[in-house]
Amino acid sequence: MRFDWQAEMEKRRESLIHHLTQLCAIESIRDESTAREGAPFGEAIATALDYMLDLGKTDGFETKNVDGYAGHIQYGEGEELVGVLAHLDVVPAGDGWTSPPFSPEIRDGKFYARGAQDDKGPAMAAYFALKLVKESGLPLSRRVRLILGTDEESQWKDMKVYFEREQMPDMGFTPDADFPLIHAEKGLIDLTLSGSAPQVETSGDSWVLSRFEAGQRPNMVPDAAGARLAGDGDVFELKERYQDYLLTHRIRGYAEEADDYLTLVMEGVSHHGSEPDQGLNAAYHLAEFLGDLPLDEVGSRYVAFIRNYLVDSFFGEKLGIAQSDDITGPLTVNGGVFRYEPGEGQWAQLNIRYPVDGDHDWICRQVDERVTSYGLTVTEVDHKAPNHVDPDHPLVKTLLRVYEEQTGQPAKPMAIGGATYARALKPGVCFGPLFPGHEERAHQKDEYIRVDDLIRAAAIYAQAIYELAK
Ligand SMILES: [Zn+2]
């Protein structure tokens, strides 16, 4: 008898959407101000984790909360363990949503909410997959754990603590990117560049850069940038110049005078930091404009750093770290966060993704050597080594076969620049939820997942869990 996973999952459609709506209403953005014991990343993230674990408990699963860092929902018997790893934290919503990002709404068959695609939708699909496997009564010879992480979008501290205390699955997958399957991911480096910025006085007709800021996260292309200028220069002329720049480059923005300052604001287009050339980096454009103005020495050095090393250099060319391989393609650099204020200091955060055979130490040395002359010191905030699972590994072969069986489409393993949770599993691959050719909306405004796709993915996950654990 052939079990019809898709038909069975269809019967659970409404329930899945109901629970996903509840889950996506929780603003589970990392918030240290509400962190406490048992909620290391803040109240909202703890609430999201509790929601999932309570759901598991109610449905009769064994569950465990590892001090709020992560948790799991387990089913099955046996020594060996299969892992499915998803995350419940989300990146900030950003502006410009059609409907409120934390009030989920279905329009034209699409479920809109922050986290719909990355990664609450897939987490809920994986949960319903596990639930269907349980309800099917099909026998398993291995245990399956749906592991729910809570710090994927920031520092992966959740996984560090979780796997210090809990068993590493013998193999697993994470539903956090694309179908059919990702077997290779670039290495990831987050660098913070920082330095002092002394107070400066206005002199002659040059402007003092009294503030520059853009971006919230290193792994997102900044969708807004702002600068504040002080000085006795010709404000009218400067405003005209700014309007010209905006028009020529077809960028939205404005200039505004208030409290002896001229504020310049620019709008960009946010995009995932793994594809920095696909967004419009507001900080880069604002630096490009400011770079042609007579600015004070300290401010102009900060702007020059952005121009000389980052602008028009999405593949690390200007930093001297460009490299590429046949498995994962070129290294990328995203300037995701910028802060500058005299008296306070200057900062930038870079998100670098390097090919599977790249050299992490060499990359860091190159960046370090270049930025020191701009008064900046490099600190590595995060490093994740590349992930690469052999295409002939049984994990890869089984998942691809399941995908082909359910979709009727031929499936080949892929390589990406995004760092997914797959590399927290050893070995681990990424498996869905986005079907080929469908729009990627992770980390963007109006993030959504097609409800039909979500159900289809859940059915694929159910069979995948069964095939890996039977
Ligand atoms: Zn994700």
Side-chain angles (χ1 to χ4, degrees):
M1 180 204 82
R2 196 163 169 270
F3 193 84
D4 191 340
W5 298 97
Q6 177 71 35
E8 285 301 319
M9 194 53 78
E10 277 299 341
K11 296 178 192 165
R12 292 153 176 85
R13 175 185 283 251
E14 266 173 46
S15 177
L16 197 163
I17 291 302
H18 166 77
H19 287 292
L20 182 59
T21 303
Q22 308 277 316
L23 182 64
C24 287
I26 305 166
E27 296 189 32
S28 52
I29 300 161
R30 187 183 164 118
D31 175 14
E32 262 138 65
S33 72
T34 59
R36 57 169 169 85
E37 208 182 318
F41 312 116
E43 284 300 339
I45 284 180
T47 304
L49 181 58
D50 284 343
Y51 183 86
M52 287 306 296
L53 296 180
D54 286 347
L55 186 59
K57 226 174 286 167
T58 307
D59 289 331
F61 289 104
E62 198 182 302
T63 65
K64 184 167 185 179
N65 186 334
V66 180
D67 287 343
Y69 283 92
H72 65 239
I73 298 172
Q74 178 171 292
Y75 176 65
E77 305 282 331
E79 275 299 298
E80 286 186 303
L81 182 64
V82 172
V84 182
L85 177 58
H87 65 91
L88 302 174
D89 57 316
V90 294
V91 294
D95 300 324
W97 285 69
T98 307
S99 53
F102 295 102
S103 299
E105 199 174 286
I106 296 175
R107 301 191 297 274
D108 294 332
K110 298 169 183 166
F111 182 102
Y112 287 89
R114 172 57 87 224
Q117 196 176 83
D118 180 19
D119 190 42
K120 288 173 172 172
M124 196 56 82
Y127 176 73
F128 272 78
L130 187 62
K131 189 163 137 80
L132 173 52
V133 170
K134 179 169 171 274
E135 289 164 356
S136 74
L138 293 165
L140 301 185
S141 68
R142 299 184 175 102
R143 283 171 298 137
V144 183
R145 262 182 199 176
L146 171 58
I147 303 168
L148 299 157
T150 59
D151 192 30
E152 194 273 344
E153 300 295 359
S154 301
Q155 291 165 22
W156 292 31
K157 274 191 193 154
D158 55 344
M159 288 298 102
K160 190 173 173 292
V161 172
Y162 180 83
F163 283 121
E164 272 165 15
R165 302 190 196 166
E166 297 294 325
Q167 181 185 354
M168 175 61 73
D170 296 278
M171 64 174 83
F173 68 86
T174 180
D176 196 15
D178 302 305
F179 280 127
L181 181 144
I182 295 159
H183 75 115
E185 298 176 20
K186 286 177 189 170
L188 184 149
I189 306 170
D190 276 338
L191 299 179
T192 295
L193 283 49
S194 58
S196 60
Q199 293 280 7
V200 278
E201 296 297 317
T202 328
S203 68
D205 54 3
S206 75
W207 297 91
V208 170
L209 183 62
S210 80
R211 187 177 291 163
F212 184 97
E213 58 186 337
Q216 295 175 297
R217 299 277 162 142
N219 63 0
M220 289 169 83
V221 174
D223 61 359
R228 207 173 62 172
L229 299 171
D232 303 320
D234 186 340
V235 171
F236 184 77
E237 196 251 58
L238 183 57
K239 281 170 107 172
E240 286 223 310
R241 230 165 123 173
Y242 190 59
Q243 286 306 330
D244 278 351
Y245 185 92
L246 295 175
L247 274 175
T248 316
H249 294 84
R250 295 167 181 229
I251 296 171
R252 301 224 299 224
Y254 60 86
E256 193 176 64
E257 267 173 281
D259 305 330
D260 295 334
Y261 292 109
L262 180 66
T263 300
L264 306 178
V265 173
M266 228 179 237
E267 250 180 62
V269 179
S270 189
H271 195 82
H272 196 276
S274 62
E275 297 171 324
D277 56 321
Q278 301 293 304
L280 182 78
N281 193 313
Y284 292 3
H285 271 281
L286 190 53
E288 190 68 359
F289 173 76
L290 293 170
D292 286 334
L293 298 183
L295 282 186
D296 71 272
E297 200 185 321
V298 190
S300 84
R301 193 176 60 175
Y302 184 72
V303 168
F305 145 72
I306 301 173
R307 272 183 120 187
N308 295 346
Y309 289 134
L310 299 173
V311 174
D312 288 332
S313 181
F314 302 111
F315 305 101
E317 303 92 334
K318 290 181 179 175
L319 280 165
I321 54 174
Q323 51 182 286
S324 188
D325 72 17
D326 292 341
I327 302 166
T328 39
L331 175 146
T332 57
V333 178
N334 181 53
V337 183
F338 297 91
R339 297 280 184 275
Y340 172 88
E341 193 166 346
E344 295 289 325
Q346 49 175 328
W347 297 269
Q349 283 187 290
L350 307 185
N351 180 244
I352 299 171
R353 291 157 195 266
Y354 64 94
V356 286
D357 60 4
D359 180 349
H360 158 266
D361 296 353
W362 178 80
I363 293 165
C364 291
R365 268 202 314 278
Q366 296 299 309
V367 176
D368 200 63
E369 273 172 27
R370 280 171 179 77
V371 304
T372 41
S373 58
Y374 288 77
L376 292 163
T377 306
V378 179
T379 314
E380 185 174 77
V381 183
D382 192 15
H383 173 228
K384 294 182 190 79
N387 189 39
H388 185 208
V389 179
D390 195 295
D392 288 328
H393 192 286
L395 171 66
V396 176
K397 293 191 126 169
T398 304
L399 294 181
L400 288 179
R401 179 172 56 76
V402 169
Y403 180 85
E404 286 184 342
E405 270 180 36
Q406 286 210 27
T407 64
Q409 301 295 318
K412 278 206 173 72
M414 306 180 293
I416 61 160
T420 76
Y421 255 6
R423 72 185 80 188
L425 300 169
K426 293 173 182 25
V429 295
C430 202
F431 190 47
L434 198 62
F435 289 94
H438 288 203
E439 193 184 12
E440 151 98 60
R441 299 292 299 188
H443 296 209
Q444 298 174 61
K445 67 180 178 186
D446 286 344
E447 177 180 349
Y448 71 85
I449 191 156
R450 284 175 190 278
V451 177
D452 286 347
D453 286 356
L454 190 65
I455 302 304
R456 207 145 64 106
I460 292 171
Y461 293 150
Q463 188 186 352
I465 288 170
Y466 168 65
E467 302 275 352
L468 292 174
K470 71 180 179 187

